[in-house]
Amino acid sequence: MTSETPDDAVRPKDFEEALASLETIVKELEQGELSLESSLQRYEQGVRLARFCASKLEEAEKRIEILQVNEKGEPKRDATGALRKAPIDLGENE
């Protein structure tokens, strides 16, 4: 016996799994062969997956921002004084 709920069935392990599930849902909805109730359920699952993906992307962006500041917490700049955007400097030469 499993204790899995409908929400557990769409709870992804990671961003990639969520994105793949979201792509599947979009294809199902685009085919237009689901009943109204099934379409609504899949749409709700898709919205939850999209929010999960957005949250993971926001977390990644924050992590990158942390990596792009110097030891004083200031944004790293290149030799011209412009903000350094990429690639991420791991600080090995500083």
Side-chain angles (χ1 to χ4, degrees):
M1 181 176 150
T2 179
S3 62
E4 188 174 281
T5 67
D7 282 346
D8 291 337
V10 295
R11 188 169 294 148
K13 290 184 289 189
D14 55 33
F15 177 83
E16 290 77 12
E17 182 180 306
L19 188 58
S21 296
L22 186 56
E23 289 172 347
T24 298
I25 289 172
V26 169
K27 286 178 186 172
E28 289 174 358
L29 292 173
E30 286 177 343
Q31 290 173 350
E33 297 176 1
L34 298 174
S35 68
L36 176 60
E37 187 60 33
S38 294
S39 294
L40 287 172
Q41 288 176 349
R42 295 301 277 162
Y43 181 80
E44 289 171 355
Q45 292 170 344
V47 168
R48 282 194 291 271
L49 289 167
R51 288 179 180 157
F52 177 86
C53 287
S55 171
K56 289 296 182 184
L57 288 174
E58 188 174 313
E59 288 176 26
E61 185 177 1
K62 287 178 182 175
R63 290 174 65 186
I64 289 170
E65 286 174 3
I66 289 169
L67 293 170
Q68 292 183 327
V69 296
N70 64 20
E71 59 281 347
K72 296 177 186 173
E74 301 164 338
K76 290 185 179 179
R77 298 184 182 273
D78 64 17
T80 66
L83 291 177
R84 200 182 295 172
K85 299 217 179 234
I88 295 173
D89 183 353
L90 298 178
E92 295 172 357
N93 297 324
E94 293 183 16

